[in-house]
């Protein structure tokens, strides 16, 4: 008897072979990769949830804005659909000149053999049906793979599937690279079977497609996409993870209740995959993960329902008498790293020689290994080119969405004045303290109102640079309109969602006040190796 999708999603993963009517002993999901991995993503998100601090600039929409809410949201589904449309169009071009009728929707839980054609921006492999009218979305696959997949859910033009077996691996696939036993089941990582070079090139293509599909711009206005800067660490880089577990809807855990699965979401399912270790995390975070699992097991009855666990690395530097040794400053201190699990406790991060303290539950970039190189690049882009005779010291920096002050402090050297703006009072308080701690005395931090975020800015726009680093949803039109009214000479947009970045940049340069802006550079940083996420940047400068 067939089961419904809803029923399937609520049963244990190990029961699926029986549900699908196949022998469990021959069931080998992800045949060549089943023995490996997992991880979190980034603020896409701080484990597997949304960007912490994502409520910044949140406000009620005006009636006019509500009517114009057809702007792209950069959602997973929207991004995937663009790739589906592209692949179907390409298939039609290479086939008959006459459009093919839509094929019948494949039967749920049926199996199909597929050849993977491309890698979607969402990190899944895509294959086209033989008649060219349907796309199959197959996780953990590589272009060139021939696979057996099982239909899970179908939509009008595409079907979501589970990978059952890789029959013939692509030349691009290297399963020897896989380093986590949960890979192929956990939703955190998608690319452990791919080389670093392939991942970087794919992420560069993702940025290019985002600009093409979401910016609504003439392609001639888009500069060539720059190379994606690699991460120094390909594993053991995440300084924050948030595993979770489910619990009873009411009444809490009873005495003798079984220990729930603790980990991250199973790929393509709504329940949690039990995970004992995540090698994407730093050593401190991995140790904290094991300790927190034990804590939940020993104290299960104290939880009224399921919970999300916080694992955040904190770094203390112990300086030695060699602190004045300028020849080798790295020997001047040792680092002690611990895992903080209390969201209100202060954690310390170091970016080069800059020290940051903030509550463990607040947002901070989660790949510390790349931050020094990243902030140095941003600082370089914020410099306004000057003509001979112009005073270079007459320069100002606005740090919108400033958080705890990362860009104000790491990129603020050489500016006559700095203004950090954020809607979170807690973030502003952290930024003020961090600026003092790092000897930044020309910075002012204010809690901005979303309706008039730049009301207190008195910097001359022709000498002002601005860096903005919004949450995944990007900026709303009210914020962008105020930015154009201010008219800073130099703008550096940083984004964990290159699709909303493309949307916002395209909107900016097509407004009357934005037509004087040129897009100088677009590219990315690989903040999250082994995942489909890429940190994007766009650099704009104003003529005149």
């Amino acid at each position: 008897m067939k089961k419904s999708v809803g029923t399937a999603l609520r049963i244990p993963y190990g029961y699926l072979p029986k549900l699908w009517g196949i022998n469990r002993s021959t069931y080998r999901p992800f045949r060549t990769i089943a023995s490996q991995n997992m991880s979190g993503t980034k603020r896409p998100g701080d484990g597997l949830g949304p960007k912490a601090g994502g409520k910044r600039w949140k406000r009620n929409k005006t009636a006019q804005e509500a009517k114009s809410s057809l702007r792209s949201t950069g959602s997973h589904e929207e991004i995937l659909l663009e790739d589906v449309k592209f692949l179907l169009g390409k298939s039609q071009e290479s086939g008959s000149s006459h459009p093919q009728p839509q094929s019948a929707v494949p039967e749920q839980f049926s199996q199909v053999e597929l050849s993977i054609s491309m890698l979607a921006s969402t990190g899944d492999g895509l294959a086209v049906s033989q008649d060219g009218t349907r796309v199959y979305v197959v996780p953990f696959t590589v272009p060139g793979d021939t696979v057996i997949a099982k239909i899970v859910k179908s939509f009008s033009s595409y079907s979501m599937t589970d990978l059952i077996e890789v029959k013939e691996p692509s030349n691009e696939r290297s399963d020897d690279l896989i380093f986590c036993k949960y890979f192929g089941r956990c939703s955190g990582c998608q690319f452990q079977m791919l080389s670093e070079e392939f991942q970087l090139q794919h992420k560069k293509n993702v940025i290019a497609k985002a600009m093409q599909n979401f910016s609504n711009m003439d392609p001639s206005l888009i500069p060539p996409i720059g190379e994606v800067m690699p991460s120094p660490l390909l594993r053991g880089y995440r300084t924050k993870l948030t595993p979770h577990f489910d619990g009873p809807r009411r009444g809490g855990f009873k005495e003798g209740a079984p220990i729930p699965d603790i980990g991250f979401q199973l790929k393509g399912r709504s329940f949690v995959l039990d995970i004992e270790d995540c090698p994407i995390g730093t050593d401190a975070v991995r140790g904290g993960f094991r300790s927190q699992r034990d804590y939940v097991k020993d104290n299960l009855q104290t939880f009224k329902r399921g919970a999300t666990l916080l694992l955040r690395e904190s770094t203390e530097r112990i300086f030695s008498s060699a602190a004045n040794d300028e020849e080798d400053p790295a020997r001047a201190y040792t680092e002690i790293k611990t895992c903080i699990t209390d969201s209100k406790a202060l954690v310390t991060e170091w970016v080069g020689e800059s020290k940051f303290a903030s509550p463990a539950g607040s947002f901070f970039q989660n790949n510390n290994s790349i931050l020094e190189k990243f902030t140095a690049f941003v600082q370089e882009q914020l410099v306004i080119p000057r003509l001979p005779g112009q005073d270079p010291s007459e320069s100002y920096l606005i740090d919108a969405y400033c958080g705890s002050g990362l860009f104000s402090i790491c990129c603020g050297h050489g500016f006559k004045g700095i203004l950090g703006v954020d809607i979170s009072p807690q973030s502003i308080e952290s930024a003020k303290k961090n600026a003092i701690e790092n000897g930044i005395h020309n910075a002012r931090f204010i809690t901005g109102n979303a309706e008039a975020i730049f009301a207190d800015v008195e910097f001359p726009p022709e000498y002002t640079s601005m860096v903005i680093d919004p949450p995944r949803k990007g900026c709303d039109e009210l914020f962008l309109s105020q930015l154009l009214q201010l008219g800073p000479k130099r703008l550096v947009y940083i984004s964990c969602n290159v699709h909303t970045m493309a949307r916002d940049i395209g909107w900016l340069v097509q407004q009357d006040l934005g037509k004087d802006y040129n897009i100088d550079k677009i590219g990315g940083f690989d903040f999250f190796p082994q995942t489909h996420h890429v940190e994007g940047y766009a650099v704009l400068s104003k003529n005149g």
Side-chain angles (χ1 to χ4, degrees):
M1 183 177 68
K2 294 182 180 179
K3 302 284 185 179
S4 68
V5 176
T7 302
L9 295 182
R10 289 191 290 269
I11 66 171
Y13 188 75
Y15 186 77
L16 292 179
K18 183 177 180 180
L19 173 66
W20 291 338
I22 60 179
N23 190 311
R24 181 165 183 159
S25 65
T26 62
Y27 175 61
R28 289 177 290 180
F30 331 120
R31 176 177 172 184
T32 61
I33 56 177
S35 62
Q36 351 283 324
N37 172 19
M38 116 113 278
S39 154
T41 52
K42 131 163 177 169
R43 22 182 173 181
D46 290 349
L48 289 171
K51 171 181 176 180
K55 294 183 179 179
R56 286 186 263 171
W57 318 126
K58 186 175 181 180
R59 58 185 181 78
N60 294 326
K61 292 183 178 180
T62 64
Q64 182 177 358
E65 286 176 312
K67 288 174 63 178
S68 66
S69 288
L70 297 179
R71 298 178 76 214
S72 162
T73 62
S75 68
H76 183 98
E77 294 76 12
E78 194 174 12
I79 296 164
L80 176 61
L81 191 57
E82 287 292 337
D83 282 335
V84 168
K85 288 161 52 180
F86 169 79
L87 200 53
L88 289 176
K90 188 176 178 181
S91 176
Q92 292 290 341
E93 289 175 4
S94 62
S96 170
S97 58
H98 301 288
Q100 297 291 317
Q102 184 72 41
S103 60
V105 175
E107 184 179 354
Q108 187 181 24
F109 300 143
S110 62
Q111 292 189 20
V112 60
E113 181 173 321
L114 301 167
S115 295
I116 305 301
S117 301
M118 68 176 282
L119 195 56
S121 295
T122 58
D124 298 316
L126 302 182
V128 187
S129 61
Q130 290 186 350
D131 61 6
T133 63
R134 175 167 294 275
V135 169
Y136 294 90
V137 183
V138 191
F140 310 113
T141 56
V142 181
D145 280 343
T146 299
V147 304
I148 302 297
K150 182 173 287 293
I151 310 301
V152 175
K153 188 174 184 179
S154 292
F155 301 90
S156 60
S157 59
Y158 67 95
S159 295
M160 306 300 295
T161 74
D162 281 339
L163 174 62
I164 299 301
E165 178 184 352
V166 177
K167 290 191 65 177
E168 296 181 19
S170 164
N171 291 333
E172 301 294 347
R173 173 185 287 277
S174 180
D175 291 336
D176 291 340
L177 297 173
I178 297 171
F179 54 85
C180 178
K181 65 181 181 181
Y182 302 104
F183 184 74
R185 293 179 291 155
C186 174
S187 60
C189 288
Q190 299 81 42
F191 294 159
Q192 286 191 24
M193 69 296 202
L194 295 172
S195 68
E196 180 184 18
E197 293 74 21
F198 190 100
Q199 292 187 42
L200 294 175
Q201 183 59 48
H202 169 71
K203 292 179 182 185
K204 178 180 176 180
N205 294 339
V206 168
I207 299 171
K209 287 193 295 180
M211 293 302 300
Q212 175 184 331
N213 296 333
F214 290 84
S215 71
N216 196 32
M217 291 174 59
D218 187 317
S220 65
L221 299 177
I222 303 173
I225 306 301
E227 300 298 324
V228 175
M229 300 294 184
S231 170
L233 296 177
L234 299 181
R235 64 175 85 175
Y237 62 80
R238 280 196 63 96
T239 56
K240 183 179 179 181
L241 289 173
T242 51
H244 52 276
F245 62 92
D246 295 328
R249 295 186 176 182
R250 59 178 63 88
F253 289 93
K254 305 299 183 182
E255 185 175 355
I259 303 300
D261 290 335
I262 305 169
F264 300 99
Q265 188 170 330
L266 180 67
K267 178 66 175 178
R269 301 292 185 272
S270 60
F271 48 82
V272 176
L273 174 66
D274 194 53
I275 290 172
E276 296 179 349
D277 185 26
C278 174
I280 291 296
T282 64
D283 288 343
V285 166
R286 295 172 73 180
F289 195 173
R290 291 187 288 269
S291 296
Q292 285 296 94
R293 284 177 58 88
D294 290 339
Y295 178 83
V296 172
K297 294 175 183 177
D298 294 340
N299 299 273
L300 186 61
Q301 292 181 49
T302 65
F303 291 90
K304 299 300 182 184
R305 57 184 66 86
T308 297
L309 308 175
L310 172 66
L311 310 169
R312 175 89 179 265
E313 181 180 271
S314 183
T315 303
E316 180 184 2
R317 286 185 177 177
I318 306 298
F319 291 87
S320 68
S321 58
N324 294 323
D325 184 0
E326 297 182 0
E327 294 183 3
D328 190 1
R331 294 184 179 181
Y333 59 81
T334 56
E335 290 189 338
I336 300 175
K337 297 180 180 291
T338 56
C339 182
I340 304 300
T341 59
D342 180 357
S343 64
K344 296 180 180 180
L346 287 181
V347 297
T348 302
E349 298 259 8
W350 290 84
V351 180
E353 299 305 310
S354 299
K355 179 181 179 181
F356 296 87
S358 59
S362 64
F363 171 74
F364 200 86
Q365 296 285 3
N366 294 331
N367 181 350
N368 188 275
S369 74
I370 201 173
L371 284 184
E372 190 170 4
K373 179 168 62 174
F374 171 64
T375 53
F377 172 84
V378 172
Q379 182 180 19
E380 191 177 293
Q381 306 313 307
L382 289 170
V383 175
I384 298 173
R386 298 302 174 89
L387 297 173
Q390 287 186 321
D391 183 3
S393 66
E394 186 73 9
S395 59
Y396 304 87
L397 173 63
I398 298 174
D399 182 2
Y401 303 92
C402 69
S404 57
L406 176 65
F407 295 116
S408 296
I409 293 166
C410 290
C411 307
H413 303 285
F415 288 97
K416 187 174 182 178
I418 302 169
L419 179 65
V421 188
D422 201 289
I423 203 169
S424 165
Q426 183 185 55
S427 295
I428 290 299
E429 189 63 27
S430 294
K432 289 177 179 178
K433 293 178 180 178
N434 289 331
I436 295 172
E437 174 74 24
N438 289 281
I440 302 293
H441 303 295
N442 61 339
R444 187 164 62 100
F445 296 93
I446 60 173
T447 303
N449 184 303
E451 307 297 336
I453 203 74
F454 303 122
D456 293 332
V457 176
E458 298 177 352
F459 299 156
E462 65 273 22
Y463 298 131
T464 298
S465 299
M466 180 185 292
V467 58
I468 58 177
D469 183 15
R472 286 189 62 77
K473 66 179 181 179
C475 307
D476 63 23
E477 291 183 11
L478 178 60
F479 174 89
L480 295 174
S481 296
Q482 293 180 69
L483 186 158
L484 288 176
Q485 290 287 343
L486 183 66
K489 180 71 174 179
R490 193 83 164 167
L491 176 64
V492 179
Y493 190 123
I494 306 297
S495 178
C496 58
N497 185 340
V498 294
H499 305 88
T500 53
M501 178 184 81
R503 176 202 70 194
D504 292 347
I505 296 301
W507 189 91
L508 274 172
V509 300
Q510 293 181 82
Q511 305 306 304
D512 288 339
L513 290 176
K515 291 179 179 178
D516 287 336
Y517 279 96
N518 294 322
I519 306 175
D520 299 332
K521 296 180 182 179
I522 298 176
F525 279 78
D526 191 15
F527 270 57
F528 304 97
Q530 321 304 341
T531 80
H532 70 275
H533 298 289
V534 57
E535 189 85 358
Y537 68 81
V539 181
L540 291 80
S541 57
K542 189 175 184 181
N543 297 324

